[in-house]
Amino acid sequence: MTRIVIVGGGYAGFYTAFKLERLLRRGEAEVVVIDPLPYMTYQPFLPEVAAGSIESRHAIIPLRRHLPKTRVINARVTGINHVKKTVTVTPEGLDDFTLDYDHVVITAGAVSRTFPIPGVADFAIGMKTIEEAVSVRDRLIDNMHVAADMPPGPARDRMLTLVVVGGGFAGIEAFAELRSLVSSMLKEFPTLTIDDTHFHLIEAMDRIMPEVSLKSSLWVIKNLERRQAHIHLNTQLTSAVGGKLELSNGMTLETDIVIWTAGVKAQSMLGGTGIPLDDRDRICAGADLRVLDGETVLEGMWSAGDVARVPDLSGGGVGGYCVPNAQHAVRQGKILAKNLAAVLRDENTKDYVHKNLGAVAGLGVGYGVFQSGNFAVTGLLGWIMHRVYHGFAIPTFERKARVFTNWALHLIWGRDFASVRKVQRPREFFEEFATRPAPVGKKAKAPSR
Ligand SMILES: Cc1cc2nc3c(=O)[nH]c(=O)nc-3n(C[C@H](O)[C@H](O)[C@H](O)COP(=O)(O)OP(=O)(O)OC[C@H]3O[C@@H](n4cnc5c(N)ncnc54)[C@H](O)[C@@H]3O)c2cc1C
């Protein structure tokens, strides 16, 4: 049977497989998704996961459950040989194996883009995965608990300082949501006030959120300033060693949490595999999402999402290409599936064309911004639009139901402030009290009753 191998089960890969399951006739082709993660992550919800407004498991979509007709392999693809039409599959901790394909779809997404600033690689954390969002949430909540009993001073300030680097959508949403979390937690911490908590966002450009108008972006800055969250424009991080931050404007800050959201770059695992990449490591795809080597179509190779450079035929893209976002990844995945099915049936492919629908951001409970062309909505209505849009956009009815139900429960009891940070060191409890074998020559101590 024809085999279609999809490398990466994120937005674009998930929707390609999801659509293929509906388009393909029984026995027409086998679809295989390979991803080291057993789930697709709904990344726009990560800031709300970090802020405790969405349960972490509700923001991920388990592949096996929601792609029942697809074979899922949890492993990394570490090589593609398009001459032999094989992929090298590397499961964690096991030996590599190869898998043949007739069509390969590369949807391996993007990773956080960093610069060689001292301390960043060792100290900062991204906001690209569910694990990062959960870790930030637990750490911030734990720090509040510890700081509550500390005397005022630099050590306590460090615990209560949060810094975000990068004023794009992801950075601003994470910053604003975490501000909202800490502000709402303060009522449970009588020894702390809002003046004891310090929120700083560092942005190298002269504005934030290029996806919205300047007017809307200025509203966001003002709104955050009112909530005691400060944005430093035209400022760069120059050092972050051990949490001691130095900024290009001469300011210094000490913090326990630095969230790095200063852009993404295409997943570079494909370097050296002979797949045509542009100068930014993106796979060069044509408008019908088949990979191009110069002007020549590479039959049997497809790509979409953040890893691909796809022409933006609506005329709105940066440099003529689609910007990396979920709006494109979802729609490209669906068109890719249709085109692949068309090729299997010797039919014609269609070009991908999508006009940007606008942008919507959540900035913490009660605050949001929506922008479409010159039309903008800010404040409570913007926040409601954000929740309605994303609540319905997360794939599958089951996940939508979980997210909306949880939001409804929060209207009654508020969000959940519980932190389970020790989950990152789960054996500590057991190990502390576990009886070990006596050193050779000594009797083991009887366990106390
Ligand atoms: C905090 C945040 C908020 C966002 N908000 C918005 C928003 O409001 N609106 C919007 O349009 N976009 C938003 N985005 C961007 C959007 O999430 C991405 O553009 C989208 O996820 C890209 O989809 P993708 O399929 O290309 O990549 P991904 O969804 O990242 O999926 C890539 C998959 O490939 C897998 N993979 C990587 N390497 C390999 C390998 N070697 N072998 C096998 N599998 C591999 C990964 O594990 C992953 O599952 C946001 C992003 C973030 C981080």
Side-chain angles (χ1 to χ4, degrees):
M1 206 198 299
T2 301
R3 182 181 281 153
I4 301 165
V5 168
I6 302 175
V7 181
Y11 262 92
F14 177 85
Y15 274 102
T16 303
F18 196 70
K19 192 82 186 166
L20 280 172
E21 285 199 357
R22 279 145 192 81
L23 289 172
L24 293 177
R25 299 181 200 113
R26 188 185 286 270
E28 196 173 5
E30 180 197 19
V31 181
V32 183
V33 170
I34 308 176
D35 195 308
L37 302 171
Y39 47 78
M40 170 237 184
T41 306
Y42 193 81
Q43 293 176 23
F45 275 161
L46 293 179
E48 283 199 67
V49 168
S53 288
I54 293 179
E55 270 310 308
S56 53
R57 282 178 176 78
H58 299 171
I60 56 178
I61 295 90
L63 299 177
R64 287 174 204 274
R65 178 167 189 175
H66 293 282
L67 297 174
K69 295 189 210 160
T70 301
R71 180 176 160 200
V72 176
I73 299 178
N74 284 132
R76 196 171 286 278
V77 169
T78 48
I80 298 176
N81 185 333
H82 199 55
V83 177
K84 292 187 183 162
K85 292 211 165 172
T86 58
V87 288
T88 308
V89 183
T90 309
E92 201 177 332
L94 299 175
D95 291 339
D96 295 357
F97 61 93
T98 56
L99 195 69
D100 299 340
Y101 65 77
D102 297 286
H103 290 265
V104 65
V105 178
I106 308 168
T107 47
V111 293
S112 299
R113 181 191 51 169
T114 50
F115 309 105
I117 300 169
V120 166
D122 298 317
F123 194 81
I125 187 164
M127 187 53 69
K128 225 17 218 124
T129 66
I130 199 78
E131 293 77 9
E132 289 169 331
V134 171
S135 167
V136 166
R137 168 189 165 167
D138 286 350
R139 179 143 203 165
L140 193 57
I141 295 174
D142 264 20
N143 281 7
M144 292 279 288
H145 285 288
V146 175
D149 296 311
M150 289 171 78
R156 190 178 78 168
D157 283 347
R158 179 183 164 115
M159 299 290 261
L160 296 174
T161 298
L162 178 124
V163 177
V164 174
V165 184
F169 244 62
I172 292 290
E173 283 191 299
F175 186 59
E177 288 286 352
L178 292 167
R179 174 71 270 183
S180 170
L181 168 70
V182 169
S183 298
S184 60
M185 280 175 72
L186 282 170
K187 60 181 177 300
E188 293 182 8
F189 290 83
T191 54
L192 299 174
T193 70
I194 193 161
D195 293 334
D196 299 322
T197 63
H198 314 285
F199 277 69
H200 297 275
L201 184 138
I202 301 158
E203 168 54 51
M205 315 266 281
D206 59 0
R207 62 161 297 178
I208 57 163
M209 300 174 94
E211 299 86 347
V212 302
S213 67
L214 183 62
K215 192 172 165 210
S216 301
S217 76
L218 291 173
W219 178 87
V220 174
I221 294 178
K222 225 168 156 183
N223 172 274
L224 285 167
E225 201 64 43
R226 266 208 322 270
R227 293 158 60 193
Q228 298 212 22
H230 310 290
I231 294 185
H232 307 270
L233 296 176
N234 296 310
T235 306
Q236 288 172 21
L237 178 69
T238 53
S239 179
V241 177
K244 293 186 177 164
L245 309 195
E246 292 170 18
L247 310 187
S248 58
N249 62 5
M251 198 172 154
T252 55
L253 289 164
E254 256 202 76
T255 178
D256 218 24
I257 307 174
V258 178
I259 304 173
W260 182 272
T261 57
V264 293
K265 61 175 183 184
Q267 175 66 261
S268 57
M269 61 99 188
L270 300 163
T273 55
I275 294 169
L277 305 179
D278 74 352
D279 54 349
R280 289 165 57 190
D281 278 351
R282 294 177 298 181
I283 298 174
C284 306
D288 69 354
L289 304 163
R290 282 190 281 194
V291 174
L292 295 176
D293 190 0
E295 300 288 302
T296 315
V297 169
L298 283 184
E299 293 297 341
M301 184 177 281
W302 306 74
S303 190
D306 288 3
V307 79
R309 191 193 72 180
V310 178
D312 188 340
L313 300 184
S314 76
V318 177
Y321 299 102
C322 297
V323 292
N325 69 23
Q327 257 186 64
H328 285 304
V330 168
R331 288 168 181 81
Q332 287 171 2
K334 291 180 184 172
I335 292 285
L336 196 160
K338 278 190 188 165
N339 283 346
L340 213 160
V343 166
L344 293 181
R345 296 165 189 167
D346 287 328
E347 294 166 5
N348 292 332
T349 58
K350 282 193 179 139
D351 283 348
Y352 170 75
V353 191
H354 169 66
K355 197 163 174 343
N356 194 297
L357 296 175
V360 61
L363 304 171
V365 175
Y367 306 103
V369 54
F370 166 80
Q371 180 95 40
S372 182
N374 290 330
F375 178 69
V377 178
T378 50
L380 180 64
L381 191 55
W383 176 71
I384 293 170
M385 290 168 91
H386 162 79
R387 284 216 161 168
V388 170
Y389 175 80
H390 282 296
F392 282 109
I394 189 169
T396 81
F397 177 74
E398 181 249 4
R399 292 287 131 170
K400 293 184 212 304
R402 287 185 198 269
V403 169
F404 276 117
T405 308
N406 226 42
W407 279 338
L409 293 175
H410 289 179
L411 290 177
I412 309 169
W413 290 297
R415 62 187 118 181
D416 198 336
F417 297 145
S419 121
V420 284
R421 186 155 171 229
K422 291 263 180 182
V423 83
Q424 288 157 37
R425 298 188 304 277
R427 291 196 60 264
E428 262 182 14
F429 300 103
F430 182 78
E431 214 178 343
E432 187 181 350
F433 301 105
T435 312
R436 294 180 183 279
V440 181
K442 280 197 176 170
K443 265 194 181 168
K445 216 173 133 197
S448 53
R449 283 166 193 273

